[in-house]
Amino acid sequence: LISNIINNARDALLDKSFGQIKIDINFTCDNMVFIEIRDNGNGISASNISKIGEKGFTVGKANSLHSGNGLGLNHAKKMIQYFGGKFEINSIEGSGTNVILSIPLSSQIINSIEKQENFEYVLIDDDSLVRMTWEIKARKKGITLQSFSSPKDFLTKKSSIPKSTFIYIDSELGLTKGEDMAQFLHLEGYLNISMTSGHPPEKFKDFTFLRSVISKAPPF
C-alpha cells in the first residue's frame, strides 16, 4: 500500500533530480500510528482533490498525484478503512502533496499481521499437482486452505469467503486469465489478492491492487 503511494508521489515530481519524497511515522499514546508521505511535486488542483481515490478516476502524471486507472489509491483507501483507519490527502497545486494514513494499532490487528496463518487461504489453480502440494503443506502447518480448480468453482463458494482472505490466483487458467479474475475480485472488495506465476513480477506491474506476485510454491 505504501509502495503504491510512493510510486504516485514519484510520478508527480516535476524534476526527478531535485524532487523529494519524505516519510514520517509517529506513534501516539492512544495506540495510533500516523504515516505521512509528502512530496514537493506539482500537486493537485482543488477541483480534483475530492475525487482522488475514487475508482477509475485519474488526472494523469502531468498534473496529479498519480496516473493509470485510479485503482491504486482506491485500494489504499479501502485497505485503511478495513483496518479502522483514515486516509487523507492535502495538496496545493504547484507545491506538492501530503498523504496521511492514520491506523489504530489494536492487539487484534497486530496479531493478524504477525500470525497470518490464522487467516483463511484460497488457491485458484487448474494444476492438480500444484493444488495437492499446497494442501499437503497447509495440513502440516495447520493452515485452513480452500483450493479450487477454476474461477467458476470459486464463485460457487464466494459468498462464504471473507473479504480478508488471502487469495492466490494462477495467471494461466485455461480460457480465463488469472489477471481478469484478480481484477474482478478486487472490484468485489477482496483486499488480499496475489498472483502465482512463472512470469516475472514486472508483467503484472499495472495491477496495483495485487498484494504480491509469487512462484507456484506455497507462501506459508
Side-chain angles (χ1 to χ4, degrees):
L1 184 154
I2 294 174
S3 175
N4 285 340
I5 295 173
I6 292 172
N7 286 338
N8 294 333
R10 180 193 60 194
D11 289 340
L13 299 178
L14 294 171
D15 187 335
K16 299 296 189 293
S17 301
F18 296 97
Q20 291 185 341
I21 300 171
K22 295 184 177 181
I23 302 173
D24 287 330
I25 302 176
N26 295 289
F27 296 88
T28 65
C29 59
D30 56 349
N31 291 324
M32 292 288 292
V33 59
F34 289 88
I35 303 173
E36 182 178 5
I37 302 169
R38 58 186 185 275
D39 65 70
N40 62 349
N42 40 14
I44 309 167
S45 68
S47 61
N48 285 330
I49 190 81
S50 63
K51 299 179 182 179
I52 293 296
E54 292 182 8
K55 183 171 63 180
F57 177 78
T58 178
V59 288
K61 289 185 180 181
N63 61 350
S64 78
L65 177 69
H66 75 299
S67 63
N69 55 17
L71 292 176
L73 292 180
N74 179 260
H75 171 69
K77 289 184 70 173
K78 284 184 177 180
M79 180 67 80
I80 291 299
Q81 290 167 359
Y82 170 76
F83 282 121
K86 294 182 180 180
F87 179 102
E88 301 176 54
I89 294 181
N90 299 309
S91 185
I92 299 176
E93 192 170 14
S95 298
T97 298
N98 286 12
V99 177
I100 302 172
L101 313 176
S102 56
I103 310 170
L105 288 182
S106 69
S107 58
Q108 180 181 4
I109 290 176
I110 294 172
N111 289 337
S112 72
I113 293 172
E114 293 180 346
K115 299 182 179 179
Q116 291 181 353
E117 64 268 21
N118 290 333
F119 280 95
E120 185 176 20
Y121 284 74
V122 161
L123 171 67
I124 305 174
D125 196 305
D126 57 359
D127 188 322
S128 59
L129 182 59
V130 171
R131 295 197 307 275
M132 183 178 68
T133 300
W134 282 53
E135 289 164 2
I136 292 173
K137 185 72 174 292
R139 282 196 296 270
K140 288 182 178 179
K141 292 278 190 175
I143 291 172
T144 303
L145 169 72
Q146 294 188 65
S147 62
F148 301 91
S149 61
S150 70
K152 182 179 179 180
D153 289 342
F154 171 85
L155 292 175
T156 62
K157 296 286 186 69
K158 183 172 73 70
S159 61
S160 64
I161 296 175
K163 295 293 193 295
S164 59
T165 301
F166 287 85
I167 300 178
Y168 292 85
I169 306 174
D170 179 22
S171 175
E172 305 292 339
L173 290 170
L175 297 177
T176 302
K177 298 293 291 183
E179 298 91 318
D180 294 338
M181 182 64 179
Q183 189 156 23
F184 168 76
L185 292 180
H186 165 71
L187 296 174
E188 288 287 298
Y190 286 88
L191 300 171
N192 296 304
I193 306 170
S194 298
M195 299 297 299
T196 65
S197 175
H199 296 292
E202 290 75 20
K203 178 183 178 183
F204 309 96
K205 61 182 176 63
D206 293 333
F207 296 87
T208 56
F209 55 85
L210 288 177
R211 184 171 179 269
S212 63
V213 178
I214 68 168
S215 68
K216 291 301 190 83
F220 39 76

